Amino acid sequence: MTKTNYIVLLFITLGIFSCDTDNENTVRLDTSLASLVNANTIEIDNVIACASGSENDENTIIAYVYPRPGATDIRYYETSSVEDDKNNYQNYTQIDLVAADFFNGYLKKMERTTSEEKWVIITFFENDKLHLSNPIRLKHRTKPTEFVNEVMINTMSSGMPIFNWEDGTIAENKIYFQVISDANNELLSGTYTFEKQFQYYKLDNVVLNITREIPPQLDLMDSYNFTLMGVSEDNWVNLFIEKSFEP
């Protein structure tokens, strides 16, 4: 064998070895939720999250999450299909999505384009623990989210309007999330009720409150926004209401 042929053979051999090494590293890369869970101390059912369809695209879903102060590294995991076992973390694979601000960062949202309905789990880290949401059932194809502005607003009680609403075409909502925000989209109050009613700012029928500070009194000269999500037991948003109002 000539010296030239030996050098060529050496480079080919090194190239094959390099490719095999890269493939081996790719195989070893585990993006399953099970891998993350096994490597950390976890808290289950400790992330407030849900998902809705998109008003503009039937193949787009929007996942919403409330990142408590101190939460870091928000991640989105999904199964291949709704037929997968929602409770088996090995069935969930991480999808890299940008967590964009919602209500100026008080909440976060992630958009995902997919024609398939799946199960989704949102995670983040807090106090050195991995926190997981309950599984979210995507239904954007079979039960698209209904976007409306129909809500009854009673302003007879000055600065403390009462909001009443009805379910939409899909009456499967188990809980309702209400947000009152100002003209700059800053969240003033975020509350959950089982009833189709909320009064700003009374907590008589509130079952979960994510408002961090006592909200301000509403100015009768200003305009505000009411946002509502009607959420099913499997965390899918059937009803999405947005309406501006003056108190």
Side-chain angles (χ1 to χ4, degrees):
M1 179 183 293
T2 66
K3 183 177 180 180
T4 300
N5 289 339
Y6 176 80
I7 293 174
V8 171
L9 180 60
L10 178 62
F11 274 111
I12 292 174
T13 303
L14 289 174
I16 293 173
F17 179 78
S18 175
C19 290
D20 285 345
T21 302
D22 288 343
N23 288 337
E24 186 177 343
N25 287 339
T26 300
V27 170
R28 286 178 180 175
L29 182 61
D30 190 349
T31 59
S32 71
L33 179 55
S35 176
L36 187 67
V37 166
N38 291 335
N40 291 278
T41 303
I42 67 171
E43 290 280 349
I44 302 174
D45 185 22
N46 200 26
V47 173
I48 299 173
C50 61
S52 77
S54 167
E55 192 171 9
N56 303 313
D57 183 2
E58 64 180 6
N59 290 323
T60 295
I61 66 93
I62 306 170
Y64 305 91
V65 58
Y66 169 58
R68 294 184 293 272
T72 61
D73 195 8
I74 301 171
R75 301 189 190 186
Y76 174 103
Y77 289 84
E78 69 178 22
T79 62
S80 297
S81 75
V82 293
E83 303 303 323
D84 293 327
D85 181 359
K86 66 178 181 179
N87 297 315
N88 185 347
Y89 296 144
Q90 192 65 51
N91 292 331
Y92 291 83
T93 301
Q94 182 182 358
I95 306 296
D96 288 328
L97 300 178
V98 176
D101 286 349
F102 190 46
F103 292 111
N104 292 333
Y106 204 102
L107 304 177
K108 296 287 185 179
K109 64 179 181 179
M110 293 170 279
E111 293 192 12
R112 165 79 164 136
T113 300
T114 174
S115 60
E116 301 293 328
E117 296 188 348
K118 310 179 181 191
W119 289 99
V120 168
I121 288 180
I122 308 295
T123 70
F124 58 63
F125 285 91
E126 181 186 28
N127 297 326
D128 297 323
K129 289 184 179 181
L130 175 67
H131 298 260
L132 294 84
S133 73
N134 281 330
I136 303 167
R137 169 67 153 86
L138 303 186
K139 300 178 185 176
H140 55 305
R141 303 294 295 181
T142 55
K143 295 181 179 179
T145 302
E146 186 176 1
F147 293 86
V148 297
N149 63 355
E150 298 170 6
V151 56
M152 294 169 283
I153 305 176
N154 184 336
T155 59
M156 294 297 291
S157 182
S158 181
M160 299 179 67
I162 302 172
F163 304 89
N164 289 272
W165 57 89
E166 296 296 333
D167 283 331
T169 55
I170 302 173
E172 296 180 356
N173 301 313
K174 297 298 183 181
I175 198 167
Y176 302 91
F177 176 49
Q178 312 93 29
V179 171
I180 310 298
S181 57
D182 63 18
N184 296 319
N185 212 33
E186 295 288 346
L187 185 146
L188 304 180
S189 77
T191 51
Y192 286 82
T193 67
F194 291 136
E195 301 174 10
K196 303 183 186 74
Q197 176 184 304
F198 171 70
Q199 182 172 10
Y200 184 91
Y201 175 68
K202 293 183 69 174
L203 304 179
D204 296 356
N205 66 339
V206 169
V207 294
L208 179 61
N209 187 8
I210 66 169
T211 313
R212 296 173 191 162
E213 301 175 356
I214 298 177
Q217 296 229 342
L218 300 184
D219 191 325
L220 301 182
M221 303 301 293
D222 288 339
S223 179
Y224 298 89
N225 300 304
F226 174 79
T227 303
L228 178 126
M229 297 184 195
V231 186
S232 63
E233 191 171 5
D234 48 17
N235 301 301
W236 176 250
V237 177
N238 293 307
L239 179 66
F240 199 110
I241 298 176
E242 286 183 299
K243 190 176 182 64
S244 60
F245 69 95
E246 295 177 355

